Amino acid sequence: QVQLVQSGADVKRPGASVKVSCKASGYTFTGYYIHWVRQAPGQGPEWMGRINPNSGDTHYAREFQGRVTLTRDTSISTAYMEVSRLTSDDTALYYCARGSGSWYYFEYWGQGTLVTVSS
Amino acid sequence: DIQMTQSPSTLSASIGDRVTITCRASQSISIWLAWYQQKPGMAPKLLIYKASTLETGVPSRFSGSGSGTDFSLTISSLQPEDSATYYCQQYHNFMCSFGQGTKLEIK
């Protein structure tokens, strides 16, 4: 069965960076886009960007361009999301999600990684 | 950017009721709309995509309709396990955005 397993919760200081991993199993990793979506406490989800694991091609939401970097390691079927210059507004649950082919809706989700930014 | 507006923000209904949640896009998105159900502490779960296509394994009491800017999610006969927050999401033109959510409570 398709599974996306994310790294554990993290606490960072303002100005630092955080890197979250998402390990895929149960399907061909290079066959589907991996998207990243975050959800601040009590808020709706917010799409951050996606990576094509086959080519490494990325597409970022405008508000995250330049501050978020998506990468992947196909040898271990793992995608990564790094956010730099963290502020308290970045405190949120971060999810990876598998797209349906090249469509930007999400059939499978990771369990979420809580990132807390606090001084 | 396309803004998605859901209504109502909260909804209280009884078991067996027919419930409808609406979602409006700030510009036409054709049929490129999905609906998700999210329960506390869980990731969102895909219910419907392409405005009206039911995801495999989702009960048939859920249905979606609409095109252009106006969409709706209907639960034909509310069950206790349907208590959750529901989100619409547009995915037009290789971008996406979500509504602010509708919290559905069981009376």
Side-chain angles (χ1 to χ4, degrees):
Chain A
Q1 72 284 18
V2 174
Q3 278 196 303
L4 299 172
V5 178
Q6 298 182 223
S7 48
D10 209 343
V11 180
K12 294 293 184 183
R13 301 289 193 201
S17 298
V18 67
K19 191 169 186 177
V20 179
S21 67
C22 171
K23 182 169 178 61
S25 61
Y27 73 98
T28 302
F29 178 63
T30 52
Y32 298 83
Y33 291 177
I34 291 287
H35 297 255
W36 291 87
V37 176
R38 78 177 186 181
Q39 190 168 26
Q43 303 297 311
E46 180 179 25
W47 182 76
M48 302 176 70
R50 65 87 179 148
I51 186 166
N52 178 341
N54 188 42
S55 65
D57 172 63
T58 55
H59 178 199
Y60 298 99
R62 188 159 44 96
E63 50 268 46
F64 295 105
Q65 188 84 35
R67 205 164 67 89
V68 171
T69 304
L70 303 182
T71 56
R72 92 292 190 212
D73 184 340
T74 56
S75 69
I76 55 171
S77 300
T78 299
Y80 301 92
M81 180 210 60
E82 184 170 21
V83 184
S84 62
R85 304 190 303 276
L86 290 165
T87 72
S88 58
D89 289 342
D90 293 313
T91 293
L93 257 177
Y94 289 78
Y95 292 101
C96 62
R98 197 194 84 170
S100 177
S102 59
W103 294 106
Y104 281 32
Y105 66 88
F106 317 120
E107 299 176 303
Y108 297 96
W109 296 66
Q111 83 276 19
T113 296
L114 179 62
V115 174
T116 303
V117 183
S118 175
S119 55
Chain B
D1 293 359
I2 299 174
Q3 309 300 318
M4 305 302 292
T5 303
Q6 288 182 232
S7 60
S9 298
T10 59
L11 177 56
S12 183
S14 300
I15 302 301
D17 281 355
R18 182 181 181 87
V19 168
T20 297
I21 298 168
T22 64
C23 179
R24 175 164 287 176
S26 59
Q27 65 188 70
S28 177
I29 57 170
S30 184
I31 57 169
W32 309 122
L33 185 103
W35 289 96
Y36 298 86
Q37 176 192 67
Q38 187 175 34
K39 297 184 178 181
M42 303 290 288
K45 173 189 173 184
L46 178 66
L47 299 175
I48 285 167
Y49 60 95
K50 215 161 69 174
S52 61
T53 302
L54 203 64
E55 173 70 346
T56 302
V58 174
S60 59
R61 64 180 179 274
F62 290 92
S63 64
S65 65
S67 66
T69 60
D70 293 314
F71 302 86
S72 62
L73 172 71
T74 297
I75 307 172
S76 60
S77 178
L78 192 64
Q79 299 302 302
E81 61 267 31
D82 299 335
S83 177
T85 300
Y86 293 83
Y87 294 98
C88 62
Q89 178 229 333
Q90 67 82 16
Y91 53 101
H92 177 65
N93 246 2
F94 301 105
M95 295 294 290
C96 67
S97 53
F98 291 81
Q100 81 281 12
T102 295
K103 186 174 183 179
L104 175 57
E105 299 172 340
I106 310 296
K107 282 182 187 173

